[in-house]
Amino acid sequence: MNKKKIELQVLNISNSQAQAGAYAMVLGEINGMRQLPVIIGSAEAQSMMIEMRGIVPPRPLTHTLFASVLKVLGATLLRVLIYKVDNGVFYSYLYMKTEETILRIDARTSDAVALALRMDAPIFIYDDILEAECLKTEHSITPTQQTDDAATQKKTLKQLKEALQNAIDAEDYERAAQLRDIINQHKKP
């Protein structure tokens, strides 16, 4: 059975109040309205933010080093696939190509996304996983889109609060903590 895959992009990375030293990475469906919050570590968050902002550190960071080694070895990153979620933990594969061989390598989602950002590779998720774990918003949001429209922000915040209440009602406290962090980010000026 061939499951439907949805392409994602990194929309935002913010501090997580759910876990000390953790961050919330928000992935959004390209040309869609669903968003997926994923809790990640501080090192991975820093690595992604550095790449997204175009900052060049004086020495290569781990993800940059790994991408450089792959390029020197003639490997390309074809795509990242988030293939499973279990108790709020997302599992991903790196699909790589070397000459005529396609390799599938298991990776933490945060590392996979950090590498995809450096190697300009698309990020995919199975539609059923995205549907089960997503936040649904009324409008599609892109990383460069300004959210100055107060009415749109108010509607999005209302939807986030409804999703938070649903998570609490379902006793999904990990998800509730993720949603709370995203709501707090929306409230910041």
Side-chain angles (χ1 to χ4, degrees):
M1 183 168 105
N2 204 359
K3 293 171 80 173
K4 183 178 177 184
K5 297 176 192 88
I6 304 296
E7 189 171 357
L8 302 172
Q9 62 187 334
V10 179
L11 297 178
N12 189 22
I13 298 171
S14 60
N15 289 327
S16 170
Q17 295 176 358
Q19 297 175 356
Y23 287 77
M25 169 180 66
V26 179
L27 300 171
E29 113 182 272
I30 293 178
N31 300 320
M33 295 177 264
R34 296 177 290 180
Q35 297 178 11
L36 179 71
V38 179
I39 299 297
I40 62 173
S42 61
E44 293 80 6
Q46 177 187 33
S47 178
M48 287 181 219
M49 288 188 286
I50 284 171
E51 183 64 23
M52 291 167 59
R53 292 181 180 152
I55 298 169
V56 180
R59 301 293 301 141
L61 298 176
T62 304
H63 295 107
T64 306
L65 174 63
F66 190 63
S68 296
V69 169
L70 291 172
K71 288 176 186 173
V72 167
L73 295 174
T76 56
L77 180 59
L78 299 173
R79 68 186 171 278
V80 166
L81 174 65
I82 302 170
Y83 68 91
K84 179 173 109 174
V85 62
D86 184 20
N87 291 323
V89 177
F90 292 87
Y91 294 79
S92 296
Y93 287 131
L94 301 172
Y95 283 89
M96 312 198 80
K97 183 176 182 180
T98 59
E99 295 179 16
E100 298 304 315
T101 304
I102 305 279
L103 304 168
R104 184 181 76 184
I105 302 168
D106 191 40
R108 294 185 319 166
T109 298
S110 56
D111 289 327
V113 170
L115 194 58
L117 289 172
R118 282 168 174 75
M119 299 186 79
D120 295 319
I123 303 162
F124 292 96
I125 188 169
Y126 287 127
D127 186 53
D128 61 333
I129 296 172
L130 180 59
E131 186 61 28
E133 300 294 324
C134 77
L135 301 172
K136 292 182 182 130
T137 60
E138 191 170 310
H139 301 285
S140 177
I141 298 173
T142 62
T144 57
Q145 179 179 358
Q146 294 295 324
T147 56
D148 292 333
D149 181 12
T152 300
Q153 280 189 349
K154 194 172 188 177
K155 287 179 186 176
T156 300
L157 194 55
K158 181 181 176 191
Q159 291 168 333
L160 288 168
K161 287 179 179 178
E162 288 172 5
L164 172 61
Q165 188 58 52
N166 290 339
I168 291 169
D169 292 345
E171 297 182 6
D172 186 352
Y173 299 115
E174 177 68 26
R175 181 109 174 120
Q178 292 172 350
L179 290 165
R180 181 201 61 216
D181 291 347
I182 294 167
I183 289 168
N184 289 339
Q185 278 302 113
H186 277 283
K187 289 180 180 178
K188 289 183 181 177

